[in-house]
Amino acid sequence: MTLHHDGTESAQPGRRGVLTAGIGTGLALLGTGTGAAHAATRTVPSERRTSPSSLSGESYEISRGEQRLIVTELGAGLRSYTVKGHQLLDTFSPDSYPTGASYGQVLIPWPNRIDHGTYTFDGTEQVLPWSEPAQANAIHGLTRWMNWEVVERSTSRLVMGLTLHAQPGYPFVLRLRQTYELTEHGLLVTNAARNTGADRVPYGVGAHPYFTLGTEYIDDIVLTLPARKWFRTDDRGIPLPPPVPVAGTSFDFLRPRRLRDTVLDTGFAELVRNGDGLAVVRMTSPESPVSLEVWQDRQHEFLQVYTGDTLPDPDGRRRGLAIEPYSCAANAFNNGYGLKVLPPGGEFRAQWGVRPVVRGRRR
């Protein structure tokens, strides 16, 4: 283990430690009107319900100019993101919940799968419940079905908070903050975690939004993926390290090309970054006036992309493209790829975001 300047450790020998990454300036994005960035922030310890909740609990809306974002109490998840009336998320209805598709969910304290829900940390074997019983795996962390609380809220910024207490398979305590902010450049998402317990903590975070450009299916999407390598997997979705080059495979989207019938449920590594340290996925379509870029900072070392071909509801398949920023690879609690270790009092912070453009209104 190597201790880094921000109080975290890298569990993968020889791998890059946690780096501080800033958000680039001068990014060309959709104009968002002339409204103020946000009103004065107010601290909200809790909010009392005044009407019956939907299956995903209370919904919280923020806005800026012609951008609108809706976050749910359940899992602090993204339910809706519209720009100039265009819905950018394939999502669920206001009175429903994400079901098995993980629509917009936050994946903490690990994204994707842990093989058989079992791992060893600091010499102790831990066994998690199988949240993917058909494949005998623990999947997508522990917080997506928990009720988060509003900590701060203003016109264009929302901070959701949760304390994740110890439980079988994860006997640790984390203070979590998930921030959504609408800026002049689009959506900015920040995850912050602090180890408030007495022991070291293994940690990873991911997000699971499905993006749409308004087309019926994603086949006509022209996709650019900034990844030189991908992970092969076994028949249970567990990666088989090390990652291998995308060159010469159907997973090579380093140059933009149409998705067509390509099937992806794929983890990517060795991301290509711009001068601001960001890895940027691009989606365009000749059938849509909307295009978007999904960026992730250096703390997000990995990327998962899913075309939705195996969603539980056949009618929902290939309607949106899941672009999932990950701080660690799938099964990182076992393979160590990108796994962060937080000492007592240690913190981790990571950011990703969306830059939308409506044709003819680029700024």
Side-chain angles (χ1 to χ4, degrees):
M1 302 290 180
T2 302
L3 183 64
H4 299 286
H5 68 274
D6 60 355
T8 66
E9 298 175 2
S10 174
Q12 179 70 9
R15 292 190 59 79
R16 180 176 65 248
V18 179
L19 302 176
T20 302
I23 302 305
T25 57
L27 304 174
L29 305 174
L30 173 73
T32 55
T34 58
H38 54 78
T41 298
R42 61 186 178 92
T43 300
V44 186
S46 65
E47 295 207 347
R48 188 183 303 276
R49 292 188 182 91
T50 57
S51 60
S53 295
S54 77
L55 293 177
S56 53
E58 292 292 302
S59 291
Y60 306 103
E61 180 173 336
I62 58 174
S63 63
R64 176 169 175 159
E66 296 180 90
Q67 300 180 86
R68 299 288 185 276
L69 190 83
I70 297 176
V71 174
T72 60
E73 175 186 9
L74 179 65
L78 279 173
R79 188 176 68 75
S80 176
Y81 181 32
T82 59
V83 179
K84 294 188 178 296
H86 297 275
Q87 177 60 259
L88 302 184
L89 296 178
D90 184 37
T91 184
F92 56 97
S93 64
D95 60 351
S96 185
Y97 71 109
T99 67
S102 302
Y103 290 118
Q105 290 185 318
V106 185
L107 316 177
I108 299 171
W110 73 85
N112 211 278
R113 295 166 175 86
I114 294 179
D115 188 9
H116 288 103
T118 302
Y119 66 99
T120 298
F121 182 72
D122 279 352
T124 301
E125 183 180 70
Q126 303 290 349
V127 181
L128 293 153
W130 290 353
S131 46
E132 189 184 43
Q135 301 296 339
N137 294 318
I139 189 169
H140 288 338
L142 301 169
T143 68
R144 57 193 180 129
W145 305 115
M146 293 182 177
N147 293 338
W148 293 59
E149 290 190 341
V150 174
V151 176
E152 296 179 10
R153 188 179 184 186
S154 65
T155 303
S156 63
R157 184 173 181 268
L158 175 69
V159 182
M160 303 291 286
L162 176 73
T163 297
L164 176 62
H165 291 289
Q167 57 189 278
Y170 198 78
F172 312 106
V173 185
L174 290 172
R175 175 187 179 273
L176 302 170
R177 294 292 183 265
Q178 186 75 6
T179 301
Y180 298 97
E181 184 172 1
L182 295 173
T183 75
E184 63 178 310
H185 301 305
L187 171 63
L188 169 63
V189 183
T190 304
N191 171 257
R194 184 184 181 199
N195 177 7
T196 59
D199 299 315
R200 302 188 328 148
V201 174
Y203 185 75
V205 61
H208 207 302
Y210 290 77
F211 291 100
T212 175
L213 301 183
T215 59
E216 185 175 8
Y217 296 102
I218 59 176
D219 302 53
D220 286 331
I221 294 295
V222 177
L223 181 66
T224 308
L225 287 179
R228 296 190 181 97
K229 293 185 178 180
W230 67 287
F231 284 98
R232 295 168 294 182
T233 62
D234 65 14
D235 59 0
R236 295 173 40 255
I238 302 300
L240 303 171
V244 297
V246 299
T249 74
S250 60
F251 307 116
D252 186 355
F253 286 89
L254 281 169
R255 293 185 178 182
R257 63 182 178 90
R258 192 164 294 187
L259 193 58
R260 301 189 187 278
D261 59 355
T262 303
V263 176
L264 298 172
D265 189 359
T266 309
F268 292 92
E270 200 170 302
L271 305 183
V272 180
R273 299 184 180 274
N274 63 20
D276 295 313
L278 308 179
V280 182
V281 179
R282 294 179 175 86
M283 290 175 58
T284 65
S285 171
E287 306 301 320
S288 174
V290 181
S291 63
L292 59 82
E293 297 178 344
V294 181
W295 59 265
Q296 56 190 73
D297 68 5
R298 289 190 182 277
Q299 313 291 27
H300 290 97
E301 298 184 55
F302 300 89
L303 172 68
Q304 186 84 11
V305 181
Y306 176 45
T307 48
D309 294 83
T310 57
L311 288 175
D313 179 8
D315 291 336
R317 294 173 181 172
R318 298 187 72 87
R319 299 284 188 173
L321 183 65
I323 299 173
E324 309 170 42
Y326 283 2
S327 67
C328 61
N331 201 33
F333 279 24
N334 287 304
N335 61 39
Y337 278 80
L339 181 65
K340 306 301 182 292
V341 177
L342 279 61
E347 299 183 345
F348 178 74
R349 183 174 180 269
Q351 294 183 314
W352 66 277
V354 184
R355 300 189 299 238
V357 176
V358 175
R359 197 169 298 154
R361 294 298 297 274
R362 193 177 181 99
R363 187 174 178 179

